[in-house]
Amino acid sequence: MNGEKTARTRLDEVRARLDRAASAAGRPPADVLLLAVGKTFAAEAIRALAEAGQNAFGENYLQEALAKQQALADLALEWHFIGPIQSNKTRPIAESFDWVHTVDREKIAARLSAQRPAGLPPLQVCIEVNVDDEASKHGCSPADAPALALAVAALPGLTLRGLMAIPAPGPTPADSAPAFARLAALADSIRGQLPASQAACFDTLSMGMSADLEVAIGAGATIVRVGTALFGQRSQAATN
Ligand SMILES: *Cc1c(COP(=O)(O)O)cnc(C)c1O
């Protein structure tokens, strides 16, 4: 069982999956960032993974994330916000994270830009796309993504890095492949519409999770967001 494995063992296993998938896709493994998604897990679980060599961590819930950042302030970790963003919560996100993957409207982007502290580098952001056009999902529609991208790329406190998606879950990991391919194609199209200096930074596809990271890497993912395979099963009540 996952729970009996050490953090180092789980990290080694996920890294091996990532390396194999990159090799199979003819891509250097270093082109894919492993983001460890720690939602619902305690700061000590993150510390154990950090001590095993993991540096980039993703969190979905602001209060939970801020408490963990405080408990882990002695470590130089990279923090990514990957949860839904309410407009009254943008300031602490702008102040406390390196990346935000879930920008899906201009109002949120403008607030994050204005509230990014001057002493920090620009916030690195991805636009979340509702790639399967699911009614219940967050993310902008694929049709709205190019205009939103142009607007976000022009904001001084942000660097637009790419697109993020969470495809509708299917019966097998391979079912995510068409959605991943659509996100990659949309990113190519947007890159072609951005001014050259902004197109050069637009290099990120945040897609793929524990079950389908291989499929995502095959489709061009540059960040895979992995929770369960690194930390174990989340309790039912906490999943969403
Ligand atoms: C929870 C979560 C993940 C990780 O999911 P796993 O299946 O546990 O790997 C990735 N991305 C987002 C946005 C999440 O909320």
Side-chain angles (χ1 to χ4, degrees):
M1 288 299 291
N2 256 342
E4 294 164 17
K5 290 179 182 169
T6 66
R8 183 175 300 276
T9 301
R10 290 192 301 255
L11 181 59
D12 286 349
E13 288 174 354
V14 172
R15 287 229 61 97
R17 285 176 61 190
L18 190 158
D19 289 356
R20 273 196 305 273
S23 300
R27 305 177 53 201
D31 283 5
V32 186
L33 175 75
L34 174 60
L35 183 66
V37 176
K39 63 172 176 244
T40 77
F41 290 97
E44 287 319 304
I46 291 174
R47 181 178 297 279
L49 211 55
E51 282 168 355
Q54 175 65 22
N55 182 246
F57 291 87
E59 291 288 338
N60 295 62
Y61 308 111
L62 182 61
Q63 295 313 318
E64 179 187 337
L66 295 176
K68 289 182 204 175
Q69 288 178 348
Q70 203 167 16
L72 299 166
D74 57 309
L75 302 175
L77 303 177
E78 182 176 286
W79 291 99
H80 295 230
F81 191 80
I82 63 168
I85 306 174
Q86 295 165 260
S87 60
N88 64 344
K89 301 284 176 58
T90 51
R91 183 177 296 279
I93 294 174
E95 290 173 349
S96 304
F97 286 82
D98 302 293
W99 282 69
V100 174
H101 292 224
T102 43
V103 170
D104 63 0
R105 55 200 196 275
E106 198 174 340
K107 178 187 176 190
I108 294 290
R111 290 177 64 93
L112 289 171
S113 176
Q115 293 167 342
R116 181 66 168 172
L120 295 179
L123 190 59
Q124 308 295 298
V125 306
C126 293
I127 290 174
E128 181 176 1
V129 179
N130 183 354
V131 75
D132 286 315
D133 262 320
E134 292 173 275
S136 61
K137 272 272 184 77
H138 296 275
C140 77
S141 73
D144 291 343
L148 180 59
L150 285 166
V152 171
L155 291 167
L158 310 181
T159 299
L160 177 64
R161 296 299 303 271
L163 303 181
M164 177 272 206
I166 311 169
T172 73
D175 293 320
S176 303
F180 291 152
R182 283 201 300 281
L183 194 74
L186 183 59
D188 285 342
S189 157
I190 289 172
R191 193 177 301 107
Q193 298 170 52
L194 290 168
S197 63
Q198 295 168 356
C201 316
F202 192 85
D203 56 6
T204 300
L205 282 172
S206 169
M207 57 188 197
M209 311 197 292
S210 292
D212 57 11
L213 70 91
E214 287 88 354
V215 182
I217 290 169
T222 66
I223 301 182
V224 289
R225 308 177 311 267
V226 177
T228 312
L230 289 171
F231 290 102
Q233 290 293 331
R234 291 180 290 277
S235 72
Q236 199 57 34
T239 1
N240 67 355

